[in-house]
Amino acid sequence: MGLLKICIFVQVVFMFSDEIYKYMFAALKEAEKALEENEVPVGAVVVHKNKIIGRGYNQVEKLNDATAHAEMIALTAAASFINNWRLSECEIYVTLEPCIMCTGAMLASRINRLYFAAFDPKFGACGSLYNLAEEGKYNHKIEVISGIYSEESRNLMAQFFSQHRKINGSGDTLDIKVQ
């Protein structure tokens, strides 16, 4: 006797509020600035009480600073705006899953919620390689929501790396996916 296995795949479509789309769109606009400056196109915005208080885009090449990621710049701008390093009443919107450094900065600054567009299987620390934001080993935990404008974010990344390979002949591969 054989067993009949029936697998049903259900695609769950999350509908986000207009506000969430608006803020992620603002992060995408920041990523476009990075693309225009030949930087990896990642953008971020920090929101406090329905107002953007910090913006950033990757500026690693421009500033010759490995820490000049979009999230770091947006977190610094937000902390300066409210004159407090504790951003516990804030949310951050990022076009690519944050790395270990940026996730650590979000945990340290007590960010309440993280929204990101596309997963980063090579450096991601919020679900891909690690899940530092939600694992509960720290004195703070960040709620993580992913997938908002993921296709648009992946398209920006693909455009950048396509141009980058043409310029320097690099054989780097792009592996950005949605989970």
Side-chain angles (χ1 to χ4, degrees):
M1 297 182 115
L3 293 174
L4 178 62
K5 293 183 180 180
I6 300 175
C7 295
I8 300 173
F9 294 95
V10 178
Q11 182 177 1
V12 178
V13 178
F14 293 102
M15 298 301 272
F16 299 102
S17 73
D18 289 343
E19 292 292 303
I20 291 171
Y21 285 111
K22 176 177 90 173
Y23 298 131
M24 187 59 77
F25 186 76
L28 281 167
K29 298 306 270 181
E30 293 297 313
E32 287 176 347
K33 290 178 187 175
L35 183 64
E36 290 169 7
E37 295 184 17
N38 201 28
E39 297 275 358
V40 176
V42 178
V45 297
V46 176
V47 175
H48 180 255
K49 297 181 180 176
N50 296 317
K51 179 181 179 185
I52 295 174
I53 62 167
R55 295 176 186 270
Y57 61 91
N58 273 3
Q59 298 180 48
V60 172
E61 300 298 331
K62 178 180 180 180
L63 300 176
N64 288 315
D65 180 357
T67 68
H69 289 197
E71 301 94 323
M72 302 296 278
I73 293 167
L75 290 169
T76 300
S80 293
F81 184 85
I82 64 170
N83 200 29
N84 192 337
W85 63 267
R86 290 178 188 88
L87 301 174
S88 57
E89 295 180 5
C90 297
E91 303 172 335
I92 190 167
Y93 295 76
V94 187
T95 59
L96 187 66
E97 178 183 4
C99 69
I100 292 171
M101 173 184 69
C102 294
T103 304
M106 287 180 230
L107 285 163
S109 64
R110 313 298 196 269
I111 283 286
N112 183 39
R113 189 173 294 116
L114 160 67
Y115 295 92
F116 71 85
F119 281 90
D120 183 353
K122 291 185 178 183
F123 289 98
C126 297
S128 290
L129 295 177
Y130 308 99
N131 193 352
L132 301 178
E134 293 182 309
E135 71 181 11
K137 292 183 179 178
Y138 311 101
N139 64 344
H140 181 68
K141 194 173 177 181
I142 302 168
E143 181 183 356
V144 178
I145 298 102
S146 60
I148 304 111
Y149 286 138
S150 59
E151 189 71 24
E152 292 81 354
S153 177
R154 287 195 318 271
N155 288 343
L156 282 174
M157 297 294 284
Q159 182 181 348
F160 171 81
F161 284 105
S162 173
Q163 291 171 350
H164 182 68
R165 283 189 207 105
K166 288 177 189 172
I167 292 169
N168 71 8
S170 156
D172 294 342
T173 59
L174 173 67
D175 189 15
I176 304 294
K177 63 182 178 181
V178 174
Q179 294 182 344

mmCIF file of all heavy atoms in Angstrom, residues 53-101:
data_model
loop_
_atom_site.group_PDB
_atom_site.id
_atom_site.type_symbol
_atom_site.label_atom_id
_atom_site.label_comp_id
_atom_site.label_asym_id
_atom_site.label_seq_id
_atom_site.Cartn_x
_atom_site.Cartn_y
_atom_site.Cartn_z
ATOM 1 N N ILE A 53 12.227 60.824 10.446
ATOM 2 C CA ILE A 53 13.166 61.662 11.205
ATOM 3 C C ILE A 53 14.625 61.366 10.868
ATOM 4 O O ILE A 53 15.527 62.033 11.372
ATOM 5 C CB ILE A 53 12.946 61.539 12.726
ATOM 6 C CG1 ILE A 53 13.183 60.107 13.199
ATOM 7 C CG2 ILE A 53 11.535 62.013 13.099
ATOM 8 C CD1 ILE A 53 13.295 59.973 14.707
ATOM 9 N N GLY A 54 14.846 60.357 10.044
ATOM 10 C CA GLY A 54 16.203 60.026 9.635
ATOM 11 C C GLY A 54 16.188 59.343 8.283
ATOM 12 O O GLY A 54 15.326 58.503 8.023
ATOM 13 N N ARG A 55 17.111 59.737 7.422
ATOM 14 C CA ARG A 55 17.238 59.147 6.091
ATOM 15 C C ARG A 55 18.697 58.782 5.858
ATOM 16 O O ARG A 55 19.588 59.452 6.371
ATOM 17 C CB ARG A 55 16.831 60.140 5.001
ATOM 18 C CG ARG A 55 15.391 60.551 5.022
ATOM 19 C CD ARG A 55 15.117 61.633 3.954
ATOM 20 N NE ARG A 55 13.770 62.132 4.048
ATOM 21 C CZ ARG A 55 12.721 61.624 3.400
ATOM 22 N NH1 ARG A 55 12.896 60.600 2.599
ATOM 23 N NH2 ARG A 55 11.520 62.144 3.550
ATOM 24 N N GLY A 56 18.900 57.744 5.062
ATOM 25 C CA GLY A 56 20.266 57.388 4.716
ATOM 26 C C GLY A 56 20.314 56.497 3.502
ATOM 27 O O GLY A 56 19.342 55.812 3.182
ATOM 28 N N TYR A 57 21.433 56.553 2.820
ATOM 29 C CA TYR A 57 21.706 55.629 1.734
ATOM 30 C C TYR A 57 23.182 55.272 1.798
ATOM 31 O O TYR A 57 23.976 55.983 2.413
ATOM 32 C CB TYR A 57 21.323 56.224 0.368
ATOM 33 C CG TYR A 57 22.051 57.482 -0.022
ATOM 34 C CD1 TYR A 57 23.239 57.427 -0.751
ATOM 35 C CD2 TYR A 57 21.560 58.732 0.334
ATOM 36 C CE1 TYR A 57 23.907 58.585 -1.118
ATOM 37 C CE2 TYR A 57 22.221 59.895 -0.033
ATOM 38 C CZ TYR A 57 23.398 59.814 -0.758
ATOM 39 O OH TYR A 57 24.064 60.959 -1.115
ATOM 40 N N ASN A 58 23.540 54.147 1.207
ATOM 41 C CA ASN A 58 24.926 53.689 1.273
ATOM 42 C C ASN A 58 25.873 54.749 0.731
ATOM 43 O O ASN A 58 25.643 55.303 -0.347
ATOM 44 C CB ASN A 58 25.100 52.399 0.466
ATOM 45 C CG ASN A 58 24.792 51.166 1.279
ATOM 46 O OD1 ASN A 58 24.394 51.247 2.434
ATOM 47 N ND2 ASN A 58 24.957 50.010 0.663
ATOM 48 N N GLN A 59 26.937 55.007 1.494
ATOM 49 C CA GLN A 59 27.957 55.971 1.091
ATOM 50 C C GLN A 59 29.358 55.443 1.402
ATOM 51 O O GLN A 59 30.272 56.213 1.679
ATOM 52 C CB GLN A 59 27.701 57.316 1.787
ATOM 53 C CG GLN A 59 26.380 57.941 1.406
ATOM 54 C CD GLN A 59 26.140 59.261 2.096
ATOM 55 O OE1 GLN A 59 27.008 60.127 2.114
ATOM 56 N NE2 GLN A 59 24.956 59.413 2.666
ATOM 57 N N VAL A 60 29.500 54.139 1.356
ATOM 58 C CA VAL A 60 30.766 53.495 1.690
ATOM 59 C C VAL A 60 31.903 53.989 0.801
ATOM 60 O O VAL A 60 32.976 54.360 1.285
ATOM 61 C CB VAL A 60 30.626 51.955 1.596
ATOM 62 C CG1 VAL A 60 31.970 51.261 1.749
ATOM 63 C CG2 VAL A 60 29.631 51.458 2.641
ATOM 64 N N GLU A 61 31.685 54.009 -0.501
ATOM 65 C CA GLU A 61 32.728 54.439 -1.443
ATOM 66 C C GLU A 61 32.983 55.940 -1.326
ATOM 67 O O GLU A 61 34.131 56.379 -1.280
ATOM 68 C CB GLU A 61 32.333 54.087 -2.882
ATOM 69 C CG GLU A 61 32.131 52.602 -3.122
ATOM 70 C CD GLU A 61 33.380 51.763 -2.895
ATOM 71 O OE1 GLU A 61 34.505 52.280 -3.091
ATOM 72 O OE2 GLU A 61 33.234 50.585 -2.516
ATOM 73 N N LYS A 62 31.926 56.705 -1.267
ATOM 74 C CA LYS A 62 32.032 58.168 -1.206
ATOM 75 C C LYS A 62 32.826 58.615 0.028
ATOM 76 O O LYS A 62 33.669 59.512 -0.053
ATOM 77 C CB LYS A 62 30.626 58.765 -1.168
ATOM 78 C CG LYS A 62 30.568 60.271 -1.057
ATOM 79 C CD LYS A 62 29.115 60.725 -1.020
ATOM 80 C CE LYS A 62 28.977 62.221 -0.914
ATOM 81 N NZ LYS A 62 27.561 62.619 -0.891
ATOM 82 N N LEU A 63 32.558 57.990 1.158
ATOM 83 C CA LEU A 63 33.187 58.397 2.416
ATOM 84 C C LEU A 63 34.408 57.544 2.773
ATOM 85 O O LEU A 63 35.041 57.797 3.806
ATOM 86 C CB LEU A 63 32.160 58.333 3.554
ATOM 87 C CG LEU A 63 30.923 59.225 3.388
ATOM 88 C CD1 LEU A 63 29.942 59.002 4.534
ATOM 89 C CD2 LEU A 63 31.324 60.691 3.285
ATOM 90 N N ASN A 64 34.702 56.531 1.951
ATOM 91 C CA ASN A 64 35.781 55.587 2.274
ATOM 92 C C ASN A 64 35.621 55.062 3.697
ATOM 93 O O ASN A 64 36.560 55.071 4.502
ATOM 94 C CB ASN A 64 37.162 56.228 2.080
ATOM 95 C CG ASN A 64 37.499 56.410 0.631
ATOM 96 O OD1 ASN A 64 37.292 55.504 -0.179
ATOM 97 N ND2 ASN A 64 37.998 57.588 0.286
ATOM 98 N N ASP A 65 34.421 54.619 3.997
ATOM 99 C CA ASP A 65 34.076 54.197 5.348
ATOM 100 C C ASP A 65 33.198 52.954 5.269
ATOM 101 O O ASP A 65 32.052 53.024 4.815
ATOM 102 C CB ASP A 65 33.325 55.343 6.047
ATOM 103 C CG ASP A 65 32.917 55.025 7.466
ATOM 104 O OD1 ASP A 65 33.150 53.880 7.944
ATOM 105 O OD2 ASP A 65 32.336 55.918 8.112
ATOM 106 N N ALA A 66 33.721 51.832 5.696
ATOM 107 C CA ALA A 66 32.979 50.572 5.646
ATOM 108 C C ALA A 66 31.720 50.591 6.505
ATOM 109 O O ALA A 66 30.828 49.763 6.320
ATOM 110 C CB ALA A 66 33.879 49.415 6.086
ATOM 111 N N THR A 67 31.628 51.531 7.432
ATOM 112 C CA THR A 67 30.440 51.608 8.293
ATOM 113 C C THR A 67 29.369 52.556 7.747
ATOM 114 O O THR A 67 28.332 52.726 8.373
ATOM 115 C CB THR A 67 30.801 52.065 9.724
ATOM 116 O OG1 THR A 67 31.230 53.426 9.696
ATOM 117 C CG2 THR A 67 31.876 51.176 10.334
ATOM 118 N N ALA A 68 29.592 53.150 6.601
ATOM 119 C CA ALA A 68 28.650 54.146 6.055
ATOM 120 C C ALA A 68 27.494 53.470 5.306
ATOM 121 O O ALA A 68 27.174 53.815 4.173
ATOM 122 C CB ALA A 68 29.380 55.141 5.166
ATOM 123 N N HIS A 69 26.869 52.527 5.979
ATOM 124 C CA HIS A 69 25.692 51.851 5.422
ATOM 125 C C HIS A 69 24.469 52.747 5.612
ATOM 126 O O HIS A 69 24.430 53.589 6.517
ATOM 127 C CB HIS A 69 25.452 50.522 6.126
ATOM 128 C CG HIS A 69 26.467 49.474 5.802
ATOM 129 N ND1 HIS A 69 26.241 48.138 6.055
ATOM 130 C CD2 HIS A 69 27.709 49.549 5.245
ATOM 131 C CE1 HIS A 69 27.290 47.437 5.666
ATOM 132 N NE2 HIS A 69 28.202 48.282 5.183
ATOM 133 N N ALA A 70 23.474 52.517 4.794
ATOM 134 C CA ALA A 70 22.242 53.313 4.829
ATOM 135 C C ALA A 70 21.632 53.343 6.226
ATOM 136 O O ALA A 70 21.227 54.402 6.728
ATOM 137 C CB ALA A 70 21.240 52.753 3.826
ATOM 138 N N GLU A 71 21.578 52.187 6.861
ATOM 139 C CA GLU A 71 20.954 52.095 8.185
ATOM 140 C C GLU A 71 21.712 52.914 9.219
ATOM 141 O O GLU A 71 21.100 53.597 10.047
ATOM 142 C CB GLU A 71 20.908 50.633 8.663
ATOM 143 C CG GLU A 71 20.159 49.705 7.747
ATOM 144 C CD GLU A 71 21.042 48.974 6.738
ATOM 145 O OE1 GLU A 71 22.012 49.581 6.232
ATOM 146 O OE2 GLU A 71 20.743 47.799 6.462
ATOM 147 N N MET A 72 23.043 52.850 9.181
ATOM 148 C CA MET A 72 23.859 53.571 10.157
ATOM 149 C C MET A 72 23.647 55.076 10.016
ATOM 150 O O MET A 72 23.516 55.789 11.010
ATOM 151 C CB MET A 72 25.337 53.216 9.976
ATOM 152 C CG MET A 72 25.642 51.728 10.096
ATOM 153 S SD MET A 72 25.304 51.044 11.729
ATOM 154 C CE MET A 72 26.790 51.531 12.569
ATOM 155 N N ILE A 73 23.599 55.532 8.785
ATOM 156 C CA ILE A 73 23.412 56.962 8.525
ATOM 157 C C ILE A 73 22.010 57.395 8.965
ATOM 158 O O ILE A 73 21.851 58.444 9.604
ATOM 159 C CB ILE A 73 23.688 57.273 7.044
ATOM 160 C CG1 ILE A 73 25.187 57.047 6.763
ATOM 161 C CG2 ILE A 73 23.255 58.690 6.683
ATOM 162 C CD1 ILE A 73 25.560 57.021 5.301
ATOM 163 N N ALA A 74 20.997 56.586 8.664
ATOM 164 C CA ALA A 74 19.615 56.918 9.056
ATOM 165 C C ALA A 74 19.448 56.901 10.575
ATOM 166 O O ALA A 74 18.779 57.771 11.144
ATOM 167 C CB ALA A 74 18.633 55.955 8.395
ATOM 168 N N LEU A 75 20.059 55.925 11.256
ATOM 169 C CA LEU A 75 19.976 55.860 12.721
ATOM 170 C C LEU A 75 20.638 57.073 13.368
ATOM 171 O O LEU A 75 20.094 57.663 14.311
ATOM 172 C CB LEU A 75 20.629 54.579 13.241
ATOM 173 C CG LEU A 75 19.913 53.265 12.946
ATOM 174 C CD1 LEU A 75 20.799 52.080 13.291
ATOM 175 C CD2 LEU A 75 18.579 53.185 13.685
ATOM 176 N N THR A 76 21.795 57.469 12.855
ATOM 177 C CA THR A 76 22.493 58.645 13.388
ATOM 178 C C THR A 76 21.662 59.909 13.191
ATOM 179 O O THR A 76 21.538 60.734 14.107
ATOM 180 C CB THR A 76 23.874 58.784 12.723
ATOM 181 O OG1 THR A 76 24.641 57.608 13.010
ATOM 182 C CG2 THR A 76 24.617 60.007 13.228
ATOM 183 N N ALA A 77 21.089 60.055 12.001
ATOM 184 C CA ALA A 77 20.249 61.228 11.722
ATOM 185 C C ALA A 77 19.032 61.263 12.640
ATOM 186 O O ALA A 77 18.659 62.317 13.172
ATOM 187 C CB ALA A 77 19.809 61.221 10.259
ATOM 188 N N ALA A 78 18.417 60.106 12.868
ATOM 189 C CA ALA A 78 17.236 60.039 13.728
ATOM 190 C C ALA A 78 17.585 60.382 15.178
ATOM 191 O O ALA A 78 16.863 61.141 15.833
ATOM 192 C CB ALA A 78 16.604 58.644 13.647
ATOM 193 N N ALA A 79 18.683 59.824 15.671
ATOM 194 C CA ALA A 79 19.103 60.109 17.047
ATOM 195 C C ALA A 79 19.417 61.592 17.217
ATOM 196 O O ALA A 79 19.073 62.201 18.238
ATOM 197 C CB ALA A 79 20.316 59.257 17.414
ATOM 198 N N SER A 80 20.035 62.191 16.220
ATOM 199 C CA SER A 80 20.320 63.627 16.263
ATOM 200 C C SER A 80 19.029 64.437 16.257
ATOM 201 O O SER A 80 18.907 65.429 16.976
ATOM 202 C CB SER A 80 21.183 64.041 15.073
ATOM 203 O OG SER A 80 22.462 63.465 15.188
ATOM 204 N N PHE A 81 18.067 63.995 15.466
ATOM 205 C CA PHE A 81 16.800 64.720 15.349
ATOM 206 C C PHE A 81 16.047 64.758 16.678
ATOM 207 O O PHE A 81 15.533 65.807 17.076
ATOM 208 C CB PHE A 81 15.919 64.091 14.268
ATOM 209 C CG PHE A 81 14.644 64.843 14.027
ATOM 210 C CD1 PHE A 81 14.608 65.922 13.153
ATOM 211 C CD2 PHE A 81 13.469 64.490 14.685
ATOM 212 C CE1 PHE A 81 13.433 66.637 12.942
ATOM 213 C CE2 PHE A 81 12.287 65.196 14.483
ATOM 214 C CZ PHE A 81 12.273 66.274 13.603
ATOM 215 N N ILE A 82 15.982 63.613 17.369
ATOM 216 C CA ILE A 82 15.240 63.597 18.646
ATOM 217 C C ILE A 82 16.150 63.846 19.847
ATOM 218 O O ILE A 82 15.692 63.847 20.986
ATOM 219 C CB ILE A 82 14.434 62.293 18.840
ATOM 220 C CG1 ILE A 82 15.338 61.063 18.935
ATOM 221 C CG2 ILE A 82 13.389 62.133 17.758
ATOM 222 C CD1 ILE A 82 14.607 59.792 19.357
ATOM 223 N N ASN A 83 17.453 64.027 19.578
ATOM 224 C CA ASN A 83 18.424 64.310 20.626
ATOM 225 C C ASN A 83 18.449 63.206 21.687
ATOM 226 O O ASN A 83 18.493 63.481 22.878
ATOM 227 C CB ASN A 83 18.153 65.684 21.258
ATOM 228 C CG ASN A 83 19.373 66.221 21.972
ATOM 229 O OD1 ASN A 83 20.504 65.914 21.588
ATOM 230 N ND2 ASN A 83 19.156 66.999 23.012
ATOM 231 N N ASN A 84 18.418 61.960 21.197
ATOM 232 C CA ASN A 84 18.438 60.812 22.098
ATOM 233 C C ASN A 84 18.879 59.592 21.307
ATOM 234 O O ASN A 84 18.346 59.326 20.231
ATOM 235 C CB ASN A 84 17.042 60.583 22.695
ATOM 236 C CG ASN A 84 17.050 59.612 23.850
ATOM 237 O OD1 ASN A 84 17.943 58.779 23.988
ATOM 238 N ND2 ASN A 84 16.028 59.714 24.683
ATOM 239 N N TRP A 85 19.815 58.818 21.839
ATOM 240 C CA TRP A 85 20.268 57.620 21.141
ATOM 241 C C TRP A 85 19.249 56.499 21.228
ATOM 242 O O TRP A 85 19.284 55.565 20.432
ATOM 243 C CB TRP A 85 21.622 57.148 21.670
ATOM 244 C CG TRP A 85 21.618 56.731 23.121
ATOM 245 C CD1 TRP A 85 21.903 57.515 24.198
ATOM 246 C CD2 TRP A 85 21.319 55.435 23.637
ATOM 247 N NE1 TRP A 85 21.799 56.786 25.363
ATOM 248 C CE2 TRP A 85 21.440 55.495 25.044
ATOM 249 C CE3 TRP A 85 20.956 54.219 23.062
ATOM 250 C CZ2 TRP A 85 21.221 54.401 25.872
ATOM 251 C CZ3 TRP A 85 20.726 53.122 23.880
ATOM 252 C CH2 TRP A 85 20.866 53.225 25.276
ATOM 253 N N ARG A 86 18.342 56.591 22.190
ATOM 254 C CA ARG A 86 17.308 55.558 22.329
ATOM 255 C C ARG A 86 16.185 55.836 21.332
ATOM 256 O O ARG A 86 15.482 56.832 21.439
ATOM 257 C CB ARG A 86 16.755 55.541 23.744
ATOM 258 C CG ARG A 86 17.723 55.019 24.766
ATOM 259 C CD ARG A 86 17.116 55.068 26.175
ATOM 260 N NE ARG A 86 18.104 54.752 27.174
ATOM 261 C CZ ARG A 86 18.903 55.664 27.741
ATOM 262 N NH1 ARG A 86 18.808 56.931 27.419
ATOM 263 N NH2 ARG A 86 19.788 55.291 28.651
ATOM 264 N N LEU A 87 16.026 54.940 20.384
ATOM 265 C CA LEU A 87 15.009 55.094 19.339
ATOM 266 C C LEU A 87 13.882 54.074 19.535
ATOM 267 O O LEU A 87 13.344 53.518 18.577
ATOM 268 C CB LEU A 87 15.668 54.929 17.957
ATOM 269 C CG LEU A 87 16.797 55.906 17.644
ATOM 270 C CD1 LEU A 87 17.462 55.548 16.323
ATOM 271 C CD2 LEU A 87 16.289 57.342 17.628
ATOM 272 N N SER A 88 13.519 53.856 20.791
ATOM 273 C CA SER A 88 12.558 52.798 21.134
ATOM 274 C C SER A 88 11.145 53.033 20.609
ATOM 275 O O SER A 88 10.367 52.094 20.525
ATOM 276 C CB SER A 88 12.515 52.590 22.648
ATOM 277 O OG SER A 88 12.190 53.800 23.298
ATOM 278 N N GLU A 89 10.823 54.242 20.236
ATOM 279 C CA GLU A 89 9.499 54.516 19.672
ATOM 280 C C GLU A 89 9.574 54.661 18.152
ATOM 281 O O GLU A 89 8.681 55.223 17.537
ATOM 282 C CB GLU A 89 8.916 55.790 20.291
ATOM 283 C CG GLU A 89 8.636 55.657 21.772
ATOM 284 C CD GLU A 89 8.062 56.932 22.374
ATOM 285 O OE1 GLU A 89 7.790 57.898 21.634
ATOM 286 O OE2 GLU A 89 7.894 56.950 23.601
ATOM 287 N N CYS A 90 10.635 54.121 17.570
ATOM 288 C CA CYS A 90 10.864 54.293 16.130
ATOM 289 C C CYS A 90 10.840 52.967 15.384
ATOM 290 O O CYS A 90 11.087 51.904 15.952
ATOM 291 C CB CYS A 90 12.219 54.952 15.896
ATOM 292 S SG CYS A 90 12.357 56.615 16.593
ATOM 293 N N GLU A 91 10.571 53.088 14.096
ATOM 294 C CA GLU A 91 10.628 51.976 13.160
ATOM 295 C C GLU A 91 11.642 52.346 12.091
ATOM 296 O O GLU A 91 11.839 53.527 11.799
ATOM 297 C CB GLU A 91 9.273 51.764 12.484
ATOM 298 C CG GLU A 91 8.147 51.522 13.459
ATOM 299 C CD GLU A 91 6.779 51.500 12.787
ATOM 300 O OE1 GLU A 91 6.618 52.111 11.697
ATOM 301 O OE2 GLU A 91 5.883 50.878 13.351
ATOM 302 N N ILE A 92 12.269 51.341 11.501
ATOM 303 C CA ILE A 92 13.192 51.589 10.391
ATOM 304 C C ILE A 92 12.739 50.779 9.187
ATOM 305 O O ILE A 92 12.280 49.642 9.326
ATOM 306 C CB ILE A 92 14.657 51.281 10.775
ATOM 307 C CG1 ILE A 92 15.624 51.779 9.696
ATOM 308 C CG2 ILE A 92 14.860 49.819 11.100
ATOM 309 C CD1 ILE A 92 17.087 51.817 10.114
ATOM 310 N N TYR A 93 12.837 51.397 8.023
ATOM 311 C CA TYR A 93 12.485 50.795 6.743
ATOM 312 C C TYR A 93 13.752 50.739 5.915
ATOM 313 O O TYR A 93 14.399 51.767 5.701
ATOM 314 C CB TYR A 93 11.431 51.632 6.020
ATOM 315 C CG TYR A 93 10.109 51.681 6.747
ATOM 316 C CD1 TYR A 93 9.928 52.469 7.879
ATOM 317 C CD2 TYR A 93 9.032 50.920 6.304
ATOM 318 C CE1 TYR A 93 8.719 52.504 8.560
ATOM 319 C CE2 TYR A 93 7.815 50.952 6.971
ATOM 320 C CZ TYR A 93 7.672 51.742 8.100
ATOM 321 O OH TYR A 93 6.468 51.762 8.766
ATOM 322 N N VAL A 94 14.122 49.538 5.451
ATOM 323 C CA VAL A 94 15.369 49.345 4.728
ATOM 324 C C VAL A 94 15.093 48.513 3.477
ATOM 325 O O VAL A 94 14.308 47.568 3.521
ATOM 326 C CB VAL A 94 16.417 48.623 5.604
ATOM 327 C CG1 VAL A 94 17.772 48.582 4.923
ATOM 328 C CG2 VAL A 94 16.543 49.265 6.972
ATOM 329 N N THR A 95 15.767 48.841 2.392
ATOM 330 C CA THR A 95 15.506 48.150 1.129
ATOM 331 C C THR A 95 16.162 46.785 1.027
ATOM 332 O O THR A 95 15.813 45.996 0.155
ATOM 333 C CB THR A 95 15.942 49.018 -0.066
ATOM 334 O OG1 THR A 95 17.330 49.301 0.044
ATOM 335 C CG2 THR A 95 15.133 50.309 -0.111
ATOM 336 N N LEU A 96 17.118 46.487 1.900
ATOM 337 C CA LEU A 96 17.796 45.190 1.902
ATOM 338 C C LEU A 96 17.976 44.738 3.344
ATOM 339 O O LEU A 96 18.234 45.552 4.236
ATOM 340 C CB LEU A 96 19.165 45.310 1.215
ATOM 341 C CG LEU A 96 19.940 44.019 0.984
ATOM 342 C CD1 LEU A 96 19.207 43.118 -0.010
ATOM 343 C CD2 LEU A 96 21.342 44.330 0.458
ATOM 344 N N GLU A 97 17.840 43.456 3.561
ATOM 345 C CA GLU A 97 18.018 42.890 4.900
ATOM 346 C C GLU A 97 19.330 43.386 5.508
ATOM 347 O O GLU A 97 20.387 43.269 4.894
ATOM 348 C CB GLU A 97 18.037 41.366 4.799
ATOM 349 C CG GLU A 97 18.259 40.660 6.106
ATOM 350 C CD GLU A 97 18.352 39.149 5.924
ATOM 351 O OE1 GLU A 97 18.318 38.654 4.772
ATOM 352 O OE2 GLU A 97 18.474 38.460 6.951
ATOM 353 N N PRO A 98 19.269 43.940 6.719
ATOM 354 C CA PRO A 98 20.480 44.481 7.354
ATOM 355 C C PRO A 98 21.538 43.430 7.662
ATOM 356 O O PRO A 98 21.232 42.263 7.940
ATOM 357 C CB PRO A 98 19.945 45.098 8.654
ATOM 358 C CG PRO A 98 18.516 45.410 8.336
ATOM 359 C CD PRO A 98 18.059 44.275 7.459
ATOM 360 N N CYS A 99 22.791 43.873 7.640
ATOM 361 C CA CYS A 99 23.938 43.030 7.983
ATOM 362 C C CYS A 99 24.080 42.956 9.513
ATOM 363 O O CYS A 99 23.320 43.573 10.262
ATOM 364 C CB CYS A 99 25.203 43.614 7.355
ATOM 365 S SG CYS A 99 25.726 45.187 8.094
ATOM 366 N N ILE A 100 25.086 42.240 9.951
ATOM 367 C CA ILE A 100 25.340 42.082 11.388
ATOM 368 C C ILE A 100 25.605 43.436 12.053
ATOM 369 O O ILE A 100 25.051 43.741 13.117
ATOM 370 C CB ILE A 100 26.524 41.126 11.629
ATOM 371 C CG1 ILE A 100 26.144 39.706 11.207
ATOM 372 C CG2 ILE A 100 26.970 41.149 13.083
ATOM 373 C CD1 ILE A 100 27.315 38.734 11.198
ATOM 374 N N MET A 101 26.442 44.266 11.439
ATOM 375 C CA MET A 101 26.780 45.570 12.013
ATOM 376 C C MET A 101 25.528 46.431 12.191
ATOM 377 O O MET A 101 25.298 46.998 13.263
ATOM 378 C CB MET A 101 27.784 46.306 11.119
ATOM 379 C CG MET A 101 28.067 47.734 11.543
ATOM 380 S SD MET A 101 29.166 48.611 10.413
ATOM 381 C CE MET A 101 28.124 48.771 8.954
#
